[in-house]
Amino acid sequence: MSVDDRVRGEFPLLSRMLNGERLVFLDSASTTPKPRVVIDAVRDYYERVTANVHRGVHALGEEATDLYEAARLEVASLINASPSEIVFVRGTTEAINLVAHGMGLGPEDEVVFPESEHHANWLPWRVRARPVPVPIDADGLPQWDRFESLLGPRTKLVAVGHVSNVTGAIAPLARIVELAKKKGVPVLVDAAQSISHLPIDVRALGIDFLAASSHKAFGPSGVGFLWAKRELLDRLALYQVGGGMVSLNEELDGRFVPRDAPFRFEAGTPAIEATIGMGAAIRFLRSIGLGAVREHDEQLGAYMLDRLRKVSGVRVLADGLPMTERIALATIVVDAPGMTQENIARALSDTFGVCVSGGFHCAHVLHARAKLDGTVRASPHVFNGEQDVDRLVDGLTQIVG
Ligand code: PLP
């Protein structure tokens, strides 16, 4: 039995009908459906526990804290880190903003990142530092041969998406880290798109920061994490303060002493149930195995690209990139007179029951450079099979026709 046949039944959403058709969900790069074990973990917290963490002295408070901290262990072991280096945040966006603020960057400090990045890994550098983008080609692929020349005496950070949310391209992290380290520059990796597709070992990669979101990896939204090397975490400035992150607050002399990392960054009541759900999602992912996910990705990705490139009126972005250098994600430009790319995505859902993304995917610069007025993105995951790609291709063929 193939892996998609094995896991499909675990996702209640996938048994839903959409406009008279069985739902075909091809939008995991946006957010993934949730397996039953994640839904159950969240429900179980509400029905059996419901207490605040790191505060309650009663039994339920202790149980909630144990479940919450167990999720930190799951995240740490997924990426080969120490739990004390995992900060829970709202998601990738907040994790990157935390670093951008915490490093105390100024307008003369340069941050080097590909022009193709998602706004979450573009705007924080634009707002807080001097952005130095790595140019991209007409397909949205970074010109990595120009990367080294952009590293200079003012470079404070290299920030790179592990996998592009538009092209699905896997960044050559080993080479990027090697060149950055030669200049003593730390590297931040945006793992929003890779965390549920590729094995990640932060120590083996030699990186300094990693940001990811739970909701793109089968978990609830509203939570994600920042991993940072312990010595860097200890140096990052606090970007918010409040309950739960302080060990001493003296009224008279104004002194306050934050707790040690990671708790010093977790002010206020966190997204407890979502974090517990993220722990369950990681257990689910590891029960399938990232090796099996990758194998499925390569097979289904190759099938999808092959079928899409045969539809007349459809152009696949970064078509020449081999499957070994991308995940199963295809962004296409559909030539259907009188229809925008958003119209096409809408028609796929309303007429064919196929959910894909349409528009700019929070990557305006990439679309501007590639002179594209939007694109349509199909992003399958481990629960999708060839029959889902066939439905997408049938729909597109009819729309173009
Ligand atoms: N980085 C990439 C590559 C993404 O695809 C996304 C979301 O689409 C983000 C960052 C932002 O993630 P979030 O909205 O969960 O903070």
Side-chain angles (χ1 to χ4, degrees):
M1 199 190 237
S2 63
V3 64
D4 50 290
D5 282 337
R6 237 180 334 110
V7 303
R8 192 170 304 114
E10 305 288 328
F11 292 85
L13 179 73
L14 302 179
S15 58
R16 186 193 150 146
M17 302 295 284
L18 189 59
N19 298 315
E21 300 282 349
R22 179 185 61 80
L23 169 69
V24 169
F25 192 90
L26 291 171
D27 198 19
S28 284
S30 186
T31 198
T32 56
K34 317 306 170 200
R36 195 167 277 111
V37 283
V38 168
I39 299 166
D40 287 349
V42 175
R43 189 195 298 110
D44 182 65
Y45 164 78
Y46 282 132
E47 289 183 352
R48 266 190 349 97
V49 189
T50 302
N52 214 326
V53 292
H54 297 303
R55 290 162 175 75
V57 290
H58 53 70
L60 301 192
E62 199 173 288
E63 278 180 38
T65 304
D66 288 349
L67 289 167
Y68 182 79
E69 288 305 320
R72 203 184 304 272
L73 291 174
E74 292 291 351
V75 172
S77 68
L78 180 71
I79 61 168
N80 189 27
S82 154
S84 69
E85 299 169 321
I86 306 293
V87 180
F88 289 140
V89 290
R90 273 171 44 227
T92 309
T93 304
E94 190 177 27
I96 297 175
N97 275 277
L98 194 163
V99 175
H101 170 88
M103 286 181 74
L105 300 170
E108 299 304 313
D109 294 325
E110 296 181 350
V111 177
V112 178
F113 58 90
E115 252 177 349
S116 47
E117 291 298 293
H118 187 281
H119 291 156
N121 194 31
W122 229 115
L123 294 176
W125 317 123
R126 183 175 184 148
V127 168
R128 297 202 178 266
R130 175 179 291 172
V132 179
V134 180
I136 55 177
D137 68 16
D139 265 332
L141 296 173
Q143 296 171 2
W144 288 114
D145 53 337
R146 298 175 64 179
F147 169 66
E148 189 173 11
S149 66
L150 300 174
L151 301 171
R154 292 179 196 276
T155 312
K156 291 291 184 295
L157 185 73
V158 167
V160 56
H162 193 181
V163 167
S164 162
N165 67 311
V166 181
T167 60
I170 302 171
L173 281 189
R175 183 80 186 123
I176 293 166
V177 172
E178 185 191 329
L179 294 172
K181 293 289 144 161
K182 242 174 42 189
K183 301 267 167 76
V185 177
V187 177
L188 176 146
V189 172
D190 168 351
Q193 292 296 339
S194 59
I195 193 75
S196 67
H197 284 273
L198 300 172
I200 296 176
D201 180 330
V202 291
R203 306 226 180 273
L205 285 170
I207 58 175
D208 300 276
F209 302 99
L210 184 103
S213 303
S214 149
H215 72 97
K216 293 188 198 286
F218 308 121
S221 49
V223 69
F225 66 89
L226 169 71
W227 166 82
K229 273 189 185 149
R230 184 64 204 215
E231 63 269 24
L232 293 174
L233 212 48
D234 287 340
R235 288 213 298 270
L236 284 185
L238 298 176
Y239 82 121
Q240 56 181 8
V241 289
M245 54 70 67
V246 64
S247 60
L248 179 79
N249 184 18
E250 293 282 358
E251 189 196 350
L252 292 181
D253 65 6
R255 251 179 355 125
F256 96 93
V257 179
R259 294 174 68 191
D260 286 340
F263 306 109
R264 66 205 293 263
F265 297 106
E266 295 178 9
T269 298
I272 302 169
E273 59 276 47
T275 309
I276 292 167
M278 171 165 68
I282 294 173
R283 280 195 294 282
F284 172 79
L285 184 58
R286 296 175 89 193
S287 73
I288 300 169
L290 278 153
V293 172
R294 180 69 190 135
E295 207 176 299
H296 175 267
D297 243 38
E298 290 203 31
Q299 281 167 13
L300 190 61
Y303 180 78
M304 177 168 69
L305 292 175
D306 191 50
R307 289 230 52 199
L308 284 172
R309 63 172 71 100
K310 289 181 185 144
V311 183
S312 74
V314 166
R315 170 163 93 84
V316 181
L317 221 57
D319 192 14
L321 197 66
M323 267 323 295
T324 48
E325 294 173 32
R326 65 198 302 162
I327 63 164
L329 181 155
T331 291
I332 56 177
V333 187
V334 184
D335 184 13
M339 289 180 87
T340 65
Q341 303 302 301
E342 283 97 333
N343 291 158
I344 287 156
R346 187 73 214 193
L348 281 168
S349 111
D350 291 359
T351 312
F352 303 97
V354 177
C355 289
V356 295
S357 279
F360 296 87
H361 324 295
C362 299
H364 287 175
V365 177
L366 184 154
H367 283 81
R369 293 283 180 274
K371 300 191 172 35
L372 294 171
D373 204 10
T375 46
V376 171
R377 180 183 69 190
S379 52
H381 215 314
V382 67
F383 49 81
N384 291 113
E386 292 183 357
Q387 70 286 359
D388 297 331
V389 171
D390 293 345
R391 278 268 296 282
L392 167 70
V393 170
D394 288 351
L396 284 170
T397 308
Q398 289 190 47
I399 290 169
V400 173

